[in-house]
Amino acid sequence: MRRFAHVGAVAATTAVLIPALAAFDHAQAPALTAPLEDSDDAAPLIIEEITPTAVEEDSTVRVTGTVTNTTDSPLDEVTVRLRYSATPFGSRSELDDYADHGADLPATGPTATVDGPIEPGESADYTVEADAEDLGLGAFGVYPLSVEAAGPSGGALGEQHTFLPYRGGGSGPDAVEIAWVWPLMGTPQRAGDDVYLSDGLSESVGPEGRLGRLLTAGAQDDAITLEPPATPSPVVSEGDAGQDAASGDDPGDAPRATGDSDRVPVTWAVDPALLDDVARLTEGPYDVVTDPGEAGGDNDDAAPATESMDPSLNAQVWLDQARTALAGDPLIATPYAAPDIAALLRADLGADAEAAVPLGQDAVERILDRPADDAYAWPAGGVMDGATREFYAGQGATRFLLSDAAMPARQWSTATPTAEASLPLPGDEDGTALVADSRLTAVLGRDSTGPGQAALAQQRFAAETAMISAEDPGTDRTIVAAPPTDWTPSAAFAEGVLQASDDLPWLDPVALDDIKADPDAEPQRGDLVYPERALDRELSGDHLDEVAGIRRDVRLFNSILEDDADPFRPAILRLEAAAWREDDDLAATTRALVAHNVQADMDKVRIIPGEPVTLASKTGTIGILVANDLEDHTVRLKLSMLSTNPERLSVEGGNGTMEIGPGGKTTVYVPLSARINGRTVLQLSLHNTEGEPVSGEQALDVNATGLGNQALLISGAGALVLVVALAPRAVRKWARTRAAAAGAAPDPDAASGDGDGNTADTAGTATDTGDDSGTPAPKDDDKGGA
């Protein structure tokens, strides 16, 4: 008990020590202080290994690494030395401060000379050793340690800060339990079902890729390998899929190369949409957008340029190995695409949230040949409000993986509380919160892929867990290690933290399923809260408004499909993923791509343009050809035809429902009626069965050139009446013309002066001539006829 009291008492000492370290004479020590994980390829000093991780009283501390000459001249007589403090950290906050900012440490340890000279740009190895008993360390605790490199004149070349967990000569504090959640998750990779934002996923599931490293490290099984087979796997019939050709056993039942007793329990957490993305890579050619930025530009209507890719062998191997690795371990899954449930419920998009759960469950079982445990829920960011809790509880969840931001420790607590806590659920049900330590999540999320970063990250993990174990010795506690969902560890670090969970004396690995909350225990955490910063980080209203617009187009498209098909549901859910909180630009690109895909499929149900129509009679029937170019869906819809001049040309029928199978065409016959000759434009469009338009309008010219039999009879009768009316006049005119011609000849009687008769004849002619200058009245026509 005395050493634990010492650990608790050093807080005041360290509080005094840190300011003193900050004022340490920089002329006596290297001035280059770097944060724990800030080194890069050009770092002058790299730590590659620190052994042992847990230092005993009789241990020899050994630090190995490389020194790189980053100057323009050769370096000779380069020395590397250890610096440390014999006062341990008093709290996790002090440890974090040292990790972030470093400090000049008062005690100097052993020094080693590096073989030289070191030419510019070249590196040399170093090893520095120190006996633990010579360092003057006290009881169990975590001590600050730094490694410095100096040139021949004593000038600083580089420095790295790290930690020295010291167990001392005793047994140390009681071990805390640690439960691992191992994420196979990430940002959605597809827009439409066949269009990928990049080809990065195929690389990620390869042997050196992010998901490849996570799978092999989490499996802890030498038989799980992602190296492509030397020869292609034999084709297996559907009935034999999932069984070994020789033994007929399910591959998930195959024995592991390392015994289960040697494995640290892990609970796999998967995003079904990511599994779906990987599975699609194996099915056939797929398209990759060559320039995603173009899709979100001004010309959104243009199809983005894509490149066709062959099926991914990496994806095939990864899925095969994932089915084996995950076969016997606990498995939890988010709803499809890990949507931002809180934001969806707030935006009245609860139907999408509801749809994401069964879609995710089906995807996991279809792809991994096993179900996920639906008793677990992992809300976005590990936080949830009351509506989100009610939603998950309504889906059957009783165990909630949360961050300590959602259920923080009570104010009076001086130690990291145990992870499990009772969580009331709707209907007076009791649930369990499994609270992940956010500081440990941040430690796991630090970069471990650069030179020397894995060793530093490994040492930080050991230091952080040692501090937790020393906070409240003698009390049974559990910590949940839940790395970030986009975790990108190096293979060495991912494998190392699991091995350390088993090797470090202050840790005891357990399965997440084994953690049970005691409803009668005194609560160490407060009630469920939804932090203001969590609300601020939700998917923006602008993003969801854009998605809602796409959803309206999708609803219209779905309205013409048979069997309640909803082919764009996965794409919409991918747009609602919480991952888009962190990437507005790629979210906008993905929205534009999905919107384009929806419109492209809508355009596949179309009216095939025809030639202008000539109608040579009063009535007639025309045929309109309608095509369904969709490959997988039957459509039901109506053809609408409107005349722009119904007084001239009217549509007499049509507008019935038609059904067209995938890739099919049909002709719709529509009767027309013309009243007047001339050109009329018909507007054609397609509608769903409710009358909503599902296509743009097309114009069809119809030219009426004939009037029909009845019109001809009427015109003939009119012509006959006109002939009958004009014939008598024409006869009289002809008679007068003949008479006038006869009277103009020489007449012997005319010279004798028979004026009475001739005077009368001349007047009548004059009268007739005058009468012929206009249309005769009906009665005048009768006299002439007599």
Side-chain angles (χ1 to χ4, degrees):
M1 291 300 295
R2 183 180 59 183
R3 61 177 171 273
F4 300 135
H6 172 75
V7 172
V10 296
T13 304
T14 307
V16 175
L17 173 65
I18 294 298
L21 296 182
F24 187 76
D25 185 0
H26 287 264
Q28 301 179 27
L32 300 179
T33 59
L36 178 62
E37 285 88 15
D38 283 351
S39 61
D40 54 29
D41 290 346
L45 179 69
I46 290 174
I47 297 174
E48 293 182 343
E49 186 178 27
I50 301 175
T51 58
T53 303
V55 177
E56 304 279 355
E57 189 176 34
D58 57 353
S59 297
T60 297
V61 179
R62 181 177 292 105
V63 181
T64 60
T66 60
V67 176
T68 300
N69 182 359
T70 59
T71 71
D72 296 331
S73 304
L75 291 176
D76 203 357
E77 299 181 9
V78 173
T79 58
V80 178
R81 66 178 179 179
L82 301 180
R83 296 185 71 90
Y84 65 98
S85 171
T87 303
F89 295 107
S91 68
R92 296 179 69 186
S93 296
E94 291 176 6
L95 185 148
D96 291 344
D97 184 70
Y98 173 75
D100 292 337
H101 305 293
D104 295 320
L105 304 179
T108 302
T111 299
T113 301
V114 179
D115 293 338
I118 307 173
E119 298 297 326
E122 293 187 354
S123 302
D125 297 334
Y126 71 84
T127 299
V128 185
E129 295 182 346
D131 290 335
E133 60 183 1
D134 295 335
L135 299 179
L137 305 180
F140 182 95
V142 178
Y143 296 80
L145 176 71
S146 69
V147 182
E148 305 172 350
S153 62
L157 297 178
E159 181 179 12
Q160 289 283 2
H161 295 97
T162 186
F163 309 93
L164 198 64
Y166 182 63
R167 189 180 180 190
S171 59
D174 293 339
V176 295
E177 296 179 333
I178 182 169
W180 278 95
V181 179
W182 207 257
L184 296 178
M185 306 174 76
T187 303
Q189 298 295 305
R190 286 184 293 171
D193 285 348
D194 299 322
V195 180
Y196 285 76
L197 301 172
S198 74
D199 201 30
L201 183 58
S202 182
E203 298 176 3
S204 181
V205 294
E208 305 300 324
R210 181 181 78 89
L211 292 172
R213 298 194 300 271
L214 288 174
L215 179 64
T216 54
Q220 305 166 76
D221 183 350
D222 294 339
I224 301 298
T225 175
L226 298 180
E227 295 298 333
T231 57
S233 301
V235 176
V236 182
S237 66
E238 184 175 352
D240 296 331
Q243 293 189 345
D244 183 87
S247 65
D249 295 331
D250 189 310
D253 297 331
R256 297 182 183 271
T258 54
D260 286 348
S261 60
D262 297 331
R263 298 177 65 249
V264 172
V266 297
T267 294
W268 299 91
V270 300
D271 174 2
L274 185 66
L275 296 179
D276 217 1
D277 289 344
V278 177
R280 175 62 187 88
L281 293 177
T282 70
E283 295 172 359
Y286 58 94
D287 293 332
V288 173
V289 178
T290 55
D291 187 358
E294 289 183 352
D298 295 333
N299 189 16
D300 288 345
D301 292 335
T306 60
E307 180 182 0
S308 180
M309 309 294 289
D310 292 330
S312 169
L313 180 58
N314 283 347
Q316 294 174 5
V317 175
W318 190 89
L319 278 181
D320 287 343
Q321 296 300 298
R323 293 184 184 104
T324 300
L326 277 61
D329 291 330
L331 175 66
I332 65 177
T334 67
Y336 193 89
D340 193 337
I341 298 295
L344 295 184
L345 296 178
R346 204 178 311 283
D348 198 24
L349 295 174
D352 287 0
E354 294 278 353
V357 175
L359 187 63
Q361 293 170 339
D362 291 346
V364 170
E365 193 156 7
R366 168 172 51 86
I367 295 168
L368 295 180
D369 299 328
R370 58 159 298 184
D373 189 344
D374 57 9
Y376 282 88
W378 191 0
V383 294
M384 62 181 181
D385 56 10
T388 305
R389 169 171 52 179
E390 185 173 348
F391 168 81
Y392 278 117
Q395 301 297 323
T398 57
R399 295 169 66 82
F400 296 80
L401 185 60
L402 302 176
S403 165
D404 51 15
M407 295 189 72
R410 293 192 178 276
Q411 292 184 349
W412 48 259
S413 177
T414 59
T416 302
T418 190
E420 68 274 16
S422 294
L423 182 67
L425 300 179
D428 295 329
E429 296 291 330
D430 290 328
T432 300
L434 302 167
V435 183
D437 186 84
S438 58
R439 288 183 178 176
L440 193 57
T441 297
V443 167
L444 294 170
R446 300 242 182 162
D447 181 24
S448 62
T449 58
Q453 301 290 54
L456 294 174
Q458 183 81 23
Q459 207 70 10
R460 175 71 186 276
F461 171 79
E464 201 76 39
T465 53
M467 290 296 298
I468 294 173
S469 69
E471 287 174 331
D472 193 6
T475 302
D476 293 335
R477 286 179 299 150
T478 302
I479 54 177
V480 171
T485 54
D486 59 351
W487 194 26
T488 311
S490 66
F493 181 56
E495 295 167 0
V497 291
L498 286 179
Q499 188 63 46
S501 300
D502 197 34
D503 293 345
L504 294 175
W506 52 83
L507 291 178
D508 179 20
V510 297
L512 194 69
D513 282 348
D514 293 338
I515 303 177
K516 310 294 183 184
D518 182 2
D520 298 327
E522 181 181 1
Q524 299 182 33
R525 298 184 179 274
D527 295 334
L528 182 71
V529 297
Y530 194 62
E532 186 69 25
R533 64 180 180 273
L535 179 62
D536 294 339
R537 293 184 66 237
E538 288 180 8
L539 288 177
S540 70
D542 290 343
H543 174 82
L544 292 178
D545 286 345
E546 294 280 353
V547 173
I550 299 173
R551 289 174 72 255
R552 286 191 291 269
D553 292 339
V554 169
R555 184 202 62 79
L556 199 60
F557 176 68
N558 291 345
S559 71
I560 66 173
L561 304 181
E562 280 202 332
D563 303 325
D564 296 324
D566 192 3
F568 284 100
R569 172 63 70 184
I572 293 296
L573 293 176
R574 288 192 289 266
L575 286 179
E576 296 167 341
W580 298 126
R581 291 172 168 183
E582 310 297 332
D583 198 336
D584 291 339
D585 291 340
L586 192 55
T589 295
T590 308
R591 288 197 308 266
L593 287 168
V594 173
H596 180 273
N597 289 344
V598 173
Q599 188 59 53
D601 273 11
M602 286 281 284
D603 291 344
K604 290 179 179 179
V605 183
R606 58 195 177 92
I607 299 170
I608 298 178
E611 297 296 328
V613 174
T614 298
L615 191 64
S617 62
K618 179 183 178 181
T619 60
T621 300
I622 62 173
I624 305 299
L625 190 59
V626 181
N628 172 20
D629 295 334
L630 297 171
E631 297 180 356
D632 303 315
H633 300 286
T634 297
V635 297
R636 289 176 58 85
L637 67 165
K638 296 180 177 182
L639 172 68
S640 173
M641 181 181 296
L642 297 176
S643 172
T644 57
N645 190 345
E647 297 299 324
R648 173 180 290 174
L649 182 71
S650 61
V651 180
E652 299 298 329
N655 207 30
T657 301
M658 55 184 150
E659 183 175 300
I660 312 174
K665 296 180 178 66
T666 190
T667 301
V668 181
Y669 294 97
V670 182
L672 304 177
S673 177
R675 294 182 177 86
I676 304 173
N677 280 351
R679 176 180 173 273
T680 305
V681 176
L682 297 180
Q683 297 292 353
L684 312 179
S685 61
L686 298 175
H687 290 65
N688 61 18
T689 56
E690 300 299 321
E692 298 173 292
V694 296
S695 75
E697 290 187 341
Q698 286 192 25
L700 177 65
D701 285 349
V702 178
N703 188 24
T705 60
L707 296 179
N709 294 332
Q710 186 177 0
L712 290 175
L713 289 174
I714 294 173
S715 299
L720 181 59
V721 170
L722 183 61
V723 169
V724 170
L726 296 180
R729 181 184 300 176
V731 171
R732 290 196 304 271
K733 186 175 181 180
W734 176 78
R736 285 196 300 270
T737 302
R738 292 288 304 269
D747 189 346
D749 294 333
S752 65
D754 187 1
D756 291 344
N758 288 339
T759 300
D761 287 344
T762 303
T765 302
T767 302
D768 287 343
T769 302
D771 290 345
D772 195 42
S773 63
T775 302
K779 62 179 181 179
D780 291 337
D781 290 340
D782 292 340
K783 289 180 180 179

